[in-house]
Amino acid sequence: IVFADGCTIYNCTANNNGKYGIDTGWGCRVEACTVYENTEYGIDLGRSSICINNLAYRNGRHGLHIQNNGLVINNISNENGVCIDNSTCENGGGTGTNTSDGVGIRTFANSVLINNQCNGNYFGIVTASTDVTVIGNNVQKNNRDFGIEQW
């Protein structure tokens, strides 16, 4: 599912795609969607977008990838970074193996993450900036020692 700027995507399912499940431009809202077993990202949102009440499960890289100024609320992003086929196993893992490039939620500057769940990913939550607000998230059983990291 691919949309340009200013879109609303509601109650959709995207699975087993060759790259992203949902890919949007800036200023979009993605709500109540399920994305699973896509070879790259489950949901890839442009700047100033909202991601609310979605499920991202077993995508090849990141479950949720949100650019600057994103609002990310009540999502579940579990077991991402899993090798789906040989094209997503760059780090030598076999089918079903967690790779070092899998993040439950990856976000950038001025984003807010509230009440999300990130379990069983390689990394739980990764931010590319120190000015990200993280409140009430459940981040457990990810492969890295730290549930929330800044790169």
Side-chain angles (χ1 to χ4, degrees):
I1 300 172
V2 179
F3 280 92
D5 298 346
C7 66
T8 298
I9 303 171
Y10 180 75
N11 200 25
C12 295
T13 299
N15 68 294
N16 294 306
N17 292 292
K19 196 165 183 177
Y20 304 145
I22 297 173
D23 185 17
T24 75
W26 293 15
C28 291
R29 179 184 182 109
V30 176
E31 183 173 356
C33 294
T34 300
V35 291
Y36 65 98
E37 295 183 355
N38 299 289
T39 59
E40 292 273 338
Y41 304 155
I43 298 174
D44 184 33
L45 291 177
R47 292 174 179 239
S48 300
S49 293
I50 298 171
C51 187
I52 186 167
N53 295 329
N54 298 290
L55 170 61
Y57 179 73
R58 292 184 58 83
N59 295 286
R61 290 185 68 199
H62 309 329
L64 307 176
H65 184 260
I66 294 90
Q67 295 296 327
N68 297 6
N69 306 310
L71 179 59
V72 186
I73 303 173
N74 294 332
N75 298 282
I76 297 172
S77 187
N78 293 345
E79 297 182 30
N80 295 288
V82 174
C83 293
I84 297 164
D85 57 36
N86 289 334
S87 68
T88 62
C89 296
E90 298 156 358
N91 300 302
T95 300
T97 303
N98 229 248
T99 70
S100 62
D101 197 20
V103 178
I105 299 174
R106 173 103 163 101
T107 191
F108 296 85
N110 303 314
S111 293
V112 178
L113 285 69
I114 302 171
N115 296 334
N116 299 287
Q117 180 189 98
C118 297
N119 298 326
N121 304 286
Y122 192 82
F123 294 96
I125 294 174
V126 172
T127 68
S129 177
T130 57
D131 56 354
V132 173
T133 302
V134 181
I135 302 168
N137 294 276
N138 176 356
V139 183
Q140 298 182 33
K141 298 181 181 176
N142 297 289
N143 287 6
R144 292 289 292 191
D145 293 336
F146 305 102
I148 301 172
E149 296 191 33
Q150 191 233 338
W151 293 351

